[in-house]
Amino acid sequence: MRAMKGLNRRQFIASSAVLTGAATLPWSLPASAAQAASATPGGSPRRGGVLRVSVDQAVSMLNPHQARVNPEYLMAELLYSGLTRLTQEMKAEADLALSWQASEDLTQWTFTLRPNLKFSDGSPLTAADVVASLQALLDPKNASPALHNIGPIARVSAKDATTLLIETASPYADLPVMLAYPAAKVIPAAIAQGQYTSLTKAAFGAGPFQLVSYDPERKIVVKRNPHYYDPTRPYLDGVEVVVYPDGLAESSALISGDSDLMLSAQSSEFARLSASSGVLPLRVASGQFLNVNMGCDQKPFNDPRVRQALALCVDRQASVDFVADGFGSPGNDTPINAAYPYFADLTKKAVDYGKAKGLLAAAGYPNGLDITLIASDKPATRTQLGIALREMAKPGGFRINVQTMAHSTYLDQVWKKGNFYVGFYNMQPTQDAVFSLLYTSTAAWNETRWNNAEFDRAVSAARQTKNDAQRAALYGTAQRLMHDEVPSLIPVFFDLLAASRDYVGGYQLHPRGAVFRLDHSWLTANAPVRTA
């Protein structure tokens, strides 16, 4: 990228009139950071102790069906269970469901529950509770993110106390995986059918832990659930989830031993964490990405030539270097990267300012284009990408004003409403999941309003076949359409970064980003003594 040659990241940020609050990140990291493992040490689990976990934003609600951000996903996972859960390899494994089987045409799925399931208050959990929970998730008035993310479910019924039938409107090969969606948790039928709002600040789940106290801006405490279906887990007596809105303070707490595990570490802090005694840096490749969403139903982005012109201004590797500190990989304007099984290795986009200017002129902007880009302050990389895009796009004729705002304001005023803003998403378990969440015409979070019929058909057909070659071809078509028409810019994928104290065992950083599996973690004898 010509505008950045000869500049390291600090020099670039310092020279570009950085917005208030935008972080400057180190250009290079020590070898220990680059070589970080993806998991804490294994070995024989040890029972007991309280794990103190830090998160970077408040847990605004406890209703698992409404969870939107990682700290809320964590609480949903600690306090609730679903039919299935995700393994480290993105496959479905048994949770409340002991087994499942599908009809030959993939439209009828029979799930058999574990025997003698109980909620955390000791009351029985039956197929009727699962049916009521799925119906609540699928009820539009509840506005759960899971509505469009657990599959095309048409009907759910209980055959007996431990067996339920899920019928889909069309063949759907990914149903067991998608039922592991972070918000797809089972709640009591009485709550689902009449006391739904009580879930906001109270917990009625069947997860590995029970709620002890809830202070959403400061600390949430849970203890082991004695009624959990697996008597050997969780190994921990309890978990304290402590909120640190400031990344520097959060890292300092781990370094000093005030906390035991950071679920997510900023790249700006990763070098310091990696060099600290008693701290284990954690890193895993992921499909997590930032995207720059463009309202395809509004000027100027209703003209694909404007979107294509902007895409030609983006130096993809520079985006990785400047925004992700090298902890990631270049994007190609689709949400699918090599972490997914049906990744299509399309032509890599390169900077071409001459062509970008020509496209802008053909779209009616021969003198360039002035536009405001909105970026939330959480995570800070949103604003950093905005700043980088502003500088990269100048030679192509784009004059971008980057406006940053508090994340809560962004969610209320911009998300799903704005015309030009920076989004941030975790990796999804399947291609269908990310396409159906963000880019199909019926997507739960159809931010771009692209509404491409050919894309919709390809995604729909792919979800209805078990044939790998056919699925690969269909998902390839979907990726090509996004690559060519650019409903959103996707210039960078992030590796996930975290850190723990060296006395934490059995924790694996999950590439999904919204899966934590703390019931499989434990503390060694060297851990601080805390009581649940």
Side-chain angles (χ1 to χ4, degrees):
M1 184 181 64
R2 292 178 301 178
M4 294 188 183
K5 281 186 177 178
L7 294 180
N8 68 20
R9 192 179 193 285
R10 284 189 183 276
Q11 293 167 333
F12 166 65
I13 294 294
S15 69
S16 60
V18 180
L19 295 175
T20 301
T24 58
L25 309 183
W27 175 249
S28 61
L29 293 168
S32 58
Q35 297 167 1
S38 64
T40 60
S44 299
R46 178 176 177 270
R47 195 170 178 86
V50 175
L51 180 72
R52 184 172 289 168
V53 178
S54 67
V55 296
D56 61 0
Q57 56 187 297
V59 181
S60 300
M61 69 170 66
L62 290 179
N63 185 340
H65 291 184
Q66 304 295 329
R68 299 180 299 179
V69 295
N70 283 354
E72 293 170 0
Y73 293 147
L74 170 65
M75 295 312 305
E77 187 180 294
L78 293 176
L79 298 169
Y80 294 86
S81 293
L83 281 174
T84 60
R85 64 190 303 186
L86 278 185
T87 67
Q88 200 73 10
E89 296 74 32
M90 296 287 189
K91 298 184 183 300
E93 70 174 2
D95 198 4
L96 295 177
L98 186 63
S99 63
W100 53 87
Q101 58 185 7
S103 61
E104 184 62 30
D105 65 356
L106 299 176
T107 62
Q108 296 189 345
W109 292 80
T110 302
F111 287 80
T112 301
L113 301 182
R114 297 176 186 271
N116 304 314
L117 288 171
K118 294 181 180 180
F119 288 103
S120 59
D121 64 356
S123 60
L125 187 161
T126 71
D129 298 295
V130 181
V131 169
S133 299
L134 291 173
Q135 290 172 339
L137 288 165
L138 295 169
D139 188 340
K141 78 173 187 293
N142 291 328
S144 172
L147 173 60
H148 296 290
N149 292 297
I150 57 175
I153 297 176
R155 285 171 296 279
V156 188
S157 58
K159 299 174 71 173
D160 55 46
T162 60
T163 312
L164 66 145
L165 176 66
I166 300 178
E167 300 174 80
T168 57
S170 57
Y172 191 60
D174 293 330
L175 185 66
V177 174
M178 295 315 300
L179 287 171
Y181 188 76
K185 305 301 185 186
V186 174
I187 61 178
I191 300 293
Q193 295 168 348
Q195 305 169 45
Y196 198 67
T197 56
S198 66
L199 293 172
T200 302
K201 298 186 182 301
F204 306 92
F209 295 92
Q210 297 173 322
L211 183 66
V212 174
S213 62
Y214 174 55
D215 184 346
E217 300 286 344
R218 192 178 72 86
K219 185 167 74 171
I220 304 95
V221 179
V222 301
K223 66 179 181 181
R224 182 189 291 118
N225 175 12
H227 304 293
Y228 190 53
Y229 63 75
D230 186 342
T232 65
R233 291 185 288 110
Y235 305 118
L236 299 165
D237 290 335
V239 178
E240 296 177 358
V241 179
V242 183
V243 181
Y244 285 90
D246 178 75
L248 178 63
E250 185 179 10
S251 297
S252 296
L254 186 75
I255 291 169
S256 68
D258 286 343
S259 64
D260 307 322
L261 173 66
M262 290 178 65
L263 291 188
S264 177
Q266 296 180 10
S267 58
S268 57
E269 288 296 301
F270 202 59
R272 184 164 75 106
L273 290 163
S274 301
S276 299
S277 176
V279 173
L280 297 177
L282 303 172
R283 177 185 181 185
V284 68
S286 174
Q288 185 186 83
F289 64 91
L290 284 171
N291 60 350
V292 178
N293 291 303
M294 294 169 280
C296 298
D297 59 344
Q298 301 175 40
K299 288 185 176 181
F301 299 116
N302 59 343
D303 190 323
R305 291 171 295 189
V306 174
R307 309 194 302 264
Q308 292 162 350
L310 187 58
L312 289 170
C313 296
V314 180
D315 186 318
R316 311 298 165 136
Q317 186 58 52
S319 297
V320 175
D321 294 338
F322 286 116
V323 180
D325 268 344
F327 291 117
S329 58
N332 207 21
D333 297 337
T334 89
I336 308 303
N337 67 355
Y340 287 90
Y342 299 109
F343 168 64
D345 193 8
L346 303 170
T347 301
K348 303 295 188 296
K349 294 184 180 179
V351 174
D352 189 333
Y353 289 126
K355 187 174 181 180
K357 287 181 175 180
L359 285 167
L360 268 188
Y365 303 97
N367 298 317
L369 182 62
D370 295 275
I371 193 162
T372 296
L373 175 67
I374 305 296
S376 159
D377 63 353
K378 293 286 185 179
T381 46
R382 296 201 205 215
T383 298
Q384 291 156 5
L385 177 60
I387 293 166
L389 181 62
R390 179 186 68 195
E391 300 305 308
M392 289 188 286
K394 281 180 181 178
F398 289 89
R399 296 176 293 274
I400 299 174
N401 171 42
V402 181
Q403 178 183 342
T404 190
M405 63 175 55
H407 189 63
S408 58
T409 305
Y410 160 84
L411 288 175
D412 289 339
Q413 299 181 8
V414 177
W415 183 51
K416 298 192 292 185
K417 306 179 184 74
N419 188 37
F420 191 39
Y421 64 90
V422 183
F424 171 79
Y425 288 98
N426 286 320
M427 182 177 182
Q428 301 299 313
T430 67
Q431 278 91 341
D432 181 74
V434 69
F435 288 146
S436 298
L437 178 67
L438 299 175
Y439 292 107
T440 62
S441 301
T442 58
W445 298 340
N446 182 12
E447 299 171 290
T448 64
R449 284 92 64 191
W450 179 39
N451 299 345
N452 183 290
E454 185 180 358
F455 176 85
D456 291 348
R457 285 193 296 271
V459 173
S460 177
R463 76 164 61 107
Q464 297 182 47
T465 179
K466 292 185 287 187
N467 184 284
D468 273 348
Q470 292 176 14
R471 295 190 99 190
L474 290 163
Y475 283 131
T477 295
Q479 291 169 71
R480 177 183 54 77
L481 288 166
M482 286 196 66
H483 173 274
D484 294 348
E485 295 202 10
V486 202
S488 67
L489 292 174
I490 304 178
V492 55
F493 289 92
F494 293 89
D495 295 347
L496 301 188
L497 307 176
S500 79
R501 298 296 302 183
D502 57 9
Y503 49 72
V504 176
Y507 179 72
Q508 289 187 288
L509 189 57
H510 199 284
R512 171 76 167 84
V515 177
F516 309 99
R517 300 171 67 91
L518 291 185
D519 52 305
H520 288 271
S521 298
W522 66 86
L523 295 169
T524 71
N526 298 326
V529 177
R530 304 188 185 101
T531 56

